[in-house]
Amino acid sequence: MQPWARVLIAASLMLALSLLVAASLPLSAPATAPEPVVLVEAEASEEEGEWELEEEEEEDEEEEFATGHAVPLPEECVLSSAEPSIAVQHDHRDVRLTLRYKAEEPTRAEISYWLKGSRGSLQLGSASRHLGEQGVIRLSSHMDEHEVVKVRAARAFLVGIDLPDVPSYCTRYLTLRLTAKHQLSNRETWSLPLERRRG
């Protein structure tokens, strides 16, 4: 046998052996963190179907994400705690507010939410609601192209709760500033910073 033939056979055996070793190694996928999902209000439109499915599938994760984020409030301000969160779904151009609350007594409230950022402020929505002793309020807003630019440049979302017959100083407790941003693909969520949650 020629020397070059021996070298060729040895090289072929080495290649076959390395392919065999590579094929036996386990494949691994990159680890990804679970996405916190903010529960949303169901509305009658075709786009809402996907939101409803996400809510059903990932409700447990949302509950864990939301635990302990409530702001304690003075008793004379009627609400004893408020826990707001904002979800922005860029694919659907939706901004959604979820506000969990506890109240000392049933009351009427005007809820509004807006944003501030490098492209200016934007009023997103408001509604009048009757509050029980505890519950969840959900509001949503659909954005046009001009509003999408402002939402992408947001630095903070603000939630205002206007209650009748409360002392004027309650305004500073009932205007909640959400600056903790969590970006996940085309969805982002905003919540209160840790120091604000502790009151």
Side-chain angles (χ1 to χ4, degrees), residues 93-133:
R93 296 185 178 180
D94 282 333
V95 179
R96 298 175 183 237
L97 164 68
T98 301
L99 176 64
R100 291 174 175 81
Y101 70 87
K102 290 183 180 177
E104 300 293 336
E105 60 187 53
T107 185
R108 196 81 189 155
E110 190 73 30
I111 314 295
S112 58
Y113 64 117
W114 64 99
L115 67 82
K116 291 187 177 181
S118 59
R119 295 301 183 101
S121 299
L122 177 64
Q123 181 71 35
L124 293 164
S126 64
S128 183
R129 293 283 189 271
H130 181 78
L131 309 185
E133 291 186 359

Side-chain angles (χ1 to χ4, degrees), residues 68-162:
H69 293 197
V71 176
L73 302 170
E75 185 177 340
E76 56 273 24
C77 296
V78 180
L79 289 188
S80 56
S81 71
E83 179 189 340
S85 62
I86 294 280
V88 179
Q89 184 80 356
H90 291 290
D91 287 350
H92 298 291
R93 296 185 178 180
D94 282 333
V95 179
R96 298 175 183 237
L97 164 68
T98 301
L99 176 64
R100 291 174 175 81
Y101 70 87
K102 290 183 180 177
E104 300 293 336
E105 60 187 53
T107 185
R108 196 81 189 155
E110 190 73 30
I111 314 295
S112 58
Y113 64 117
W114 64 99
L115 67 82
K116 291 187 177 181
S118 59
R119 295 301 183 101
S121 299
L122 177 64
Q123 181 71 35
L124 293 164
S126 64
S128 183
R129 293 283 189 271
H130 181 78
L131 309 185
E133 291 186 359
Q134 66 178 18
V136 181
I137 296 169
R138 295 180 180 92
L139 304 177
S140 64
S141 175
H142 191 72
M143 303 173 283
D144 61 28
E145 289 182 16
H146 176 70
E147 292 169 334
V148 166
V149 173
K150 289 193 172 188
V151 169
R152 288 190 183 275
R155 292 183 181 154
F157 285 83
L158 291 95
V159 178
I161 308 168
D162 187 19

